[in-house]
Amino acid sequence: MDITEIAKKLGLADNKLVIRKAAEFRRLSDVKFDSSAIGVGEICKAIICIEIAANKYEVIFDRQDAIKFSGLSEKAYNRSFNCLQNVLDVKNNLDVRELAIQFGCVRIIPFVQKGLRLYKDRFFASLPASRRGSTDFTRPVFIAVAFYLCAKKHKLKADKVKLIELCGTSESEFSSVSNSMKDLCHDVFGVLKEKKDPKDVKGNRELLDVFPEKRGYEDGGYMSDEEKEPSSYKKRKQMEKHAYEDWKSTVVTSISKEKDKDVTSKRAKQARLSFPTIARDTQDLKVT
């Protein structure tokens, strides 16, 4: 199906600028990768290219209609959109103030800005000098994560799925950056009880390995602010298990003692039975 016809079905037939840019994105995607490898058909790819073009020129785009037209689920469409956008190297422009207005969280603007500054400084301190020049903090995922964590700390509602969609990233990348920020900027996001030395943090890929809160409570990890204590049910089960082990140990010990007692008793009885025979034999020897 021609991209102009698809744009018409999405209510963008009159916007020639968006159609031309969407066609350009479609040709570029054909050159860069095989969209079928991620399960994206030609119609779906054209729809996503139209949305990317519409976002670029700040044209209103109805994503729900696009999802219905694509035949994909919302989750599959979002995943395909983020993948295609990354392949095309198209970055969404996010602004902290615009996000705050959109989500009704204006009062956290200074906290988000402070958190981003501190995170940048501390993350640079965690890297060797040779890698600092290649670090890109202009990507919108950093703004989206900082905004989400600040909103969560101040008990304000911020739709995580919507933020992932706005910054054009994946759930795994959003989670990785979130863990990094919570680790290095505890004083802004208020997750960890103790500050971690930035020099001990190698980079985003290794942060999950050093998080003590990722270990289970039973494995010796300590509980962070977000973790829950073991439930009363689990505590009761643990107590019952310990009580059972104590009872089992007592029973085994008692049985072992009874067995030893029986053996001793049998030996004594055998000795008593054999004593008269020995005495009789002795008397016979004396008579002889």
Side-chain angles (χ1 to χ4, degrees):
M1 184 179 292
D2 185 75
I3 201 164
T4 304
E5 296 179 9
I6 297 175
K8 184 178 180 180
K9 291 182 179 293
L10 294 173
L12 295 172
D14 296 332
N15 199 315
K16 304 299 181 184
L17 188 62
V18 170
I19 293 174
R20 283 199 299 271
K21 195 64 179 178
E24 179 184 335
F25 284 145
R26 188 177 186 179
R27 290 192 296 272
L28 187 60
S29 67
D30 290 337
V31 172
K32 287 196 169 186
F33 83 124
D34 182 9
S35 57
S36 62
I38 60 171
V40 179
E42 290 302 314
I43 294 178
C44 183
K45 181 168 67 175
I47 293 171
I48 293 174
C49 288
I50 292 172
E51 181 176 358
I52 295 174
N55 292 341
K56 181 176 179 62
Y57 293 112
E58 299 182 354
V59 175
I60 297 175
F61 183 87
D62 191 334
R63 171 168 277 205
Q64 293 305 316
D65 283 349
I67 292 173
K68 291 178 182 178
F69 189 27
S70 69
L72 299 177
S73 65
E74 184 172 359
K75 186 175 182 179
Y77 182 90
N78 292 339
R79 185 172 59 249
S80 300
F81 177 88
N82 291 334
C83 181
L84 189 55
Q85 185 172 242
N86 290 334
V87 168
L88 295 174
D89 197 22
V90 178
K91 296 179 181 179
N92 290 339
N93 294 321
L94 284 187
D95 181 76
V96 176
R97 294 183 182 276
E98 290 180 1
L99 283 178
I101 293 172
Q102 182 176 348
F103 288 92
C105 306
V106 178
R107 68 185 177 90
I108 67 170
I109 291 175
F111 298 101
V112 177
Q113 293 172 337
K114 178 184 177 182
L116 285 169
R117 287 195 302 270
L118 287 175
Y119 176 71
K120 182 177 179 180
D121 294 340
R122 293 172 184 177
F123 192 86
F124 270 135
S126 72
L127 297 176
S130 59
R131 292 183 56 192
R132 292 175 185 175
S134 60
T135 306
D136 182 14
F137 285 102
T138 62
R139 299 178 60 209
V141 64
F142 293 104
I143 296 176
V145 171
F147 181 84
Y148 174 74
L149 292 177
C150 281
K152 188 175 182 180
K153 178 186 175 181
H154 291 274
K155 302 186 185 321
L156 300 174
K157 188 175 181 180
D159 190 342
K160 181 179 177 180
V161 175
K162 181 66 176 177
L163 284 169
I164 291 175
E165 175 187 317
L166 288 173
C167 67
T169 187
S170 63
E171 291 183 16
S172 60
E173 184 180 33
F174 191 94
S175 177
S176 176
V177 175
S178 176
N179 288 333
S180 175
M181 285 190 175
K182 286 188 292 184
D183 187 57
L184 292 180
C185 298
H186 72 288
D187 46 348
V188 177
F189 303 122
V191 176
L192 296 182
K193 296 180 180 179
E194 296 181 0
K195 178 181 177 181
K196 182 176 287 296
D197 187 352
K199 293 181 180 179
D200 295 336
V201 181
K202 307 294 185 183
N204 271 342
R205 289 178 297 177
E206 299 178 17
L207 284 173
L208 292 177
D209 296 331
V210 299
F211 280 169
E213 72 271 17
K214 290 298 179 183
R215 298 196 301 267
Y217 180 76
E218 296 81 2
D219 297 332
Y222 67 83
M223 292 178 293
S224 68
D225 294 343
E226 293 183 339
E227 290 180 339
K228 296 180 180 179
E229 293 184 356
S231 65
S232 58
Y233 174 77
K234 288 184 178 180
K235 288 181 179 178
R236 182 168 59 81
K237 283 294 184 183
Q238 290 174 357
M239 292 175 65
E240 289 178 355
K241 183 178 180 181
H242 289 310
Y244 171 75
E245 293 296 334
D246 292 340
W247 172 82
K248 181 179 178 181
S249 176
T250 303
V251 171
V252 170
T253 303
S254 176
I255 292 174
S256 178
K257 288 181 178 179
E258 289 294 333
K259 286 182 177 180
D260 293 341
K261 187 176 179 180
D262 290 343
V263 170
T264 303
S265 178
K266 286 180 180 179
R267 288 177 179 174
K269 185 176 180 181
Q270 289 175 354
R272 285 195 301 270
L273 291 172
S274 61
F275 179 75
T277 304
I278 296 173
R280 194 166 51 250
D281 293 342
T282 305
Q283 290 176 358
D284 293 341
L285 288 172
K286 287 180 180 180
V287 171
T288 304

